[in-house]
Amino acid sequence: MEYTSQSALHFPAAYAPISEDEMIYLDGGDAISPQQFTFNLVTNLIRLMGQAAFSGALNGLSNMRNDGLTTGGAIAHYWNRQNTMGKVATVVFTGFAGYAVYIYCVSLVNNVLNLYTSAKNSITGADQTTTDTTAAASSDPTTAATAALTAA
């Protein structure tokens, strides 16, 4: 490949320059259905809100513990100072936080299982066959969680 610039080009280690002619062979993103897009959007939004609620709750408990309250006292203090809408929002965001923790745990377990399977296959020299479980585990955690729920 010929470069038109006279200065020395510094590319990252994983950079692979290709000519314009070769770019026609590269595919972009795959088409996604509106239903799948909406499902991914809602699932990721719930996961993000859950992560924010979980970290906010931990920070709040940590601050209250630093102020001298026990964990039970901090939770009682927070709950008793809420009005009805605040309590409803707390329960909803606790559900979001629980979902975020669930997705994190499913992702962690799937990653450990994939590492174990890869190590076992490399030691035994077994063929690398993909099953529905490993395919779901290797994709994003939301898909893995959905596959786990539908399999149960």
Side-chain angles (χ1 to χ4, degrees):
M1 172 175 231
E2 187 175 317
Y3 294 107
T4 57
S5 174
Q6 297 297 328
S7 64
L9 297 175
H10 299 285
F11 295 109
Y15 183 80
I18 60 173
S19 68
E20 191 172 332
D21 295 336
E22 293 175 355
M23 291 180 74
I24 61 172
Y25 299 111
L26 299 178
D27 289 333
D30 195 13
I32 186 169
S33 68
Q35 293 83 8
Q36 185 64 38
F37 175 78
T38 305
F39 176 78
N40 289 345
L41 180 71
V42 169
T43 302
N44 289 331
L45 183 64
I46 289 173
R47 185 171 44 179
L48 285 174
M49 288 191 308
Q51 289 171 343
F54 189 73
S55 65
L58 286 181
N59 288 338
L61 280 175
S62 176
N63 288 339
M64 288 184 197
R65 292 277 300 156
N66 291 339
D67 289 342
L69 290 173
T70 63
T71 303
I75 293 171
H77 174 73
Y78 172 77
W79 186 258
N80 292 334
R81 294 186 53 103
Q82 295 291 316
N83 61 14
T84 305
M85 286 306 295
K87 289 180 181 180
V88 168
T90 299
V91 169
V92 168
F93 278 97
T94 301
F96 289 164
Y99 180 73
V101 169
Y102 169 74
I103 292 297
Y104 177 77
C105 290
V106 166
S107 175
L108 186 65
V109 167
N110 286 334
N111 287 337
V112 169
L113 289 175
N114 284 339
L115 286 172
Y116 171 75
T117 304
S118 296
K120 185 177 96 173
N121 287 342
S122 68
I123 290 171
T124 61
D127 290 333
Q128 300 272 341
T129 58
T130 52
T131 61
D132 291 338
T133 329
T134 56
S138 65
S139 62
D140 102 83
T142 306
T143 307
T146 306
L149 288 176
T150 56

